[in-house]
Amino acid sequence: MLTLSLAALATLCVAQHIEMADTLVYRAEGAAVVDGTDLYGFTVTEWQLPATYPPFAAILFVPTTWLPVAALKVAFVAGNAALMALFVHLSWRFAGLRTGRVPLVVAIALGLWLEPVFQTVLFGQINLALACLVLWDLSRPEHALGKGFALGVAAGIKLTPAVFIVYLLMTGRVRSGLIAVASLTGTVLLGVLVLPEASGEFWTGRLFETSRVGKTFVVDNQSLRGLLARFSHSPEPGAVWVVTAGLTAVAGLWTARRAVVRAGLETWGVLVTALTALLVSPISWSHHWVWCVPLLAVLIAEGRLRTAAAVGVVWTARSFWAVPHRGDLDLRLPWWQQPLASPYPLFGLGLLAFAAWRTGAARTGARAVLPAPRPETGVTTRAGTG
């Protein structure tokens, strides 16, 4: 199955002459560092894509200039396939699954065709690399040497993982959170040292230009902002999005904290934080939702096979690519096509509600197993409640 899956993926890439636009952007960023040109002044590919990551990321992209474009594309496809295998392994361990190699290999073969993973390969993106850094770091024991460092590096490459630093601090892992802050700060300082002008430009201006990333209303933006833009038939949902995103952020982080502090469910704490970040980010392209992989692993580990099947269907169906989306057709979708155009944020909101119920049920269950106080002493024993 794995051989056939990889062969089919490679054949599709060759037959469709996949451009891998994001890989070309990364290469152009690396070239700008090498040549000393304006990092945020170029556009590449037919879609006129600019650089949107911090200067630290551009420094890491310098090796992409050492290969011809064709060889670089092959390297990115092979690298993302290998990263998917690592991500499945990390997700398996994170969820506490202890099955053998065969189910693991089958999961890799099938997981390559989950839409976010598939799009990551086709665009030549780095989502799987960042997710592996974050999940590996968060899965380590609390007092492991340098825990938080890899998370800070991931946030320095692409800012959205920084939400996990907030998660660590909110759940009392101050040491790991501060290490992540220090690591992130180090990436910023390295960028300032190597690319001072680009760093000043990014941190004082480009950081806040959402329009550089892309149009909010297009169907591949699977964030709350994209959902509201399409539903309201307006390119910018404005205050409605600000209020909705704010409430979702508060509810999501509160649920994540409760999952860890009150229910002892680290898995759901991490997953809820990831879902919250994807929902409230102004733009969450469909390939950013690779966190569906550990989500599936956790649901399977808990025996929630029906929910896992629903997640698998939603993140494989590609329904938003089936609705009219050329030009500004995304803004003129009828009501009955709206769920098809925004499956990830809708399902993500449902998963947040499920996680709130899940952590509440776990807390209730923990209270239920406490033995009644002994009549003669009134002392409650905690034996066996871990």
Side-chain angles (χ1 to χ4, degrees), residues 74-302:
V74 172
F76 260 77
V77 171
N80 270 321
L83 284 168
M84 178 56 184
L86 175 60
F87 196 39
V88 171
H89 171 70
L90 291 172
S91 299
W92 221 256
R93 188 178 65 182
F94 172 70
L97 286 169
R98 291 291 183 268
T99 49
R101 291 183 180 180
V102 171
L104 185 64
V105 173
V106 170
I108 296 169
L110 296 177
L112 286 168
W113 299 93
L114 290 166
E115 194 272 345
V117 177
F118 182 75
Q119 292 298 119
T120 290
V121 175
L122 292 194
F123 285 124
Q125 257 283 347
I126 59 172
N127 302 304
L128 288 169
L130 296 178
C132 284
L133 278 174
V134 173
L135 190 60
W136 172 77
D137 207 357
L138 292 178
S139 300
R140 299 167 70 206
E142 186 53 37
H143 295 288
L145 179 64
K147 178 171 181 176
F149 181 82
L151 171 57
V153 171
I157 297 171
K158 191 173 183 178
L159 296 177
T160 46
V163 69
F164 290 101
I165 301 177
V166 178
Y167 164 73
L168 287 176
L169 296 174
M170 286 183 61
T171 53
R173 274 74 68 83
V174 177
R175 174 180 170 271
S176 299
L178 292 179
I179 291 175
V181 170
S183 176
L184 171 58
T185 303
T187 68
V188 175
L189 293 177
L190 180 60
V192 171
L193 180 65
V194 178
L195 301 168
E197 292 185 8
S199 294
E201 182 179 354
F202 178 82
W203 295 108
T204 61
R206 299 298 187 184
L207 171 63
F208 309 102
E209 295 179 3
T210 306
S211 59
R212 284 180 64 83
V213 182
K215 296 178 180 178
T216 299
F217 61 85
V218 294
V219 292
D220 30 341
N221 179 20
Q222 290 291 301
S223 69
L224 284 176
R225 192 176 185 184
L227 181 154
L228 292 171
R230 290 185 290 272
F231 184 78
S232 63
H233 307 290
S234 170
E236 293 297 334
V240 175
W241 169 72
V242 173
V243 173
T244 304
L247 292 174
T248 302
V250 171
L253 291 175
W254 174 79
T255 301
R257 183 182 186 279
R258 189 174 74 157
V260 176
V261 175
R262 298 186 62 189
L265 295 173
E266 180 73 21
T267 52
W268 281 102
V270 171
L271 291 175
V272 167
T273 303
L275 289 171
T276 302
L278 291 165
L279 287 168
V280 304
S281 176
I283 291 182
S284 292
W285 301 128
S286 67
H287 51 76
H288 293 168
W289 288 80
V290 292
W291 283 90
C292 64
V293 175
L295 172 62
L296 280 165
V298 169
L299 290 171
I300 292 171
E302 293 186 353

Side-chain angles (χ1 to χ4, degrees), residues 34-59:
V34 173
D35 300 335
T37 56
D38 186 0
L39 177 60
Y40 299 105
F42 70 80
T43 57
V44 293
T45 77
E46 63 181 282
W47 299 282
Q48 300 297 302
L49 300 175
T52 59
Y53 293 173
F56 174 69
I59 297 171

Side-chain angles (χ1 to χ4, degrees), residues 26-35 55-67 72 194-195:
Y26 302 152
R27 192 173 192 272
E29 291 186 40
V33 176
V34 173
D35 300 335
F56 174 69
I59 297 171
L60 296 183
F61 292 146
V62 167
T64 62
T65 64
W66 302 344
L67 294 174
L72 182 63
V194 178
L195 301 168

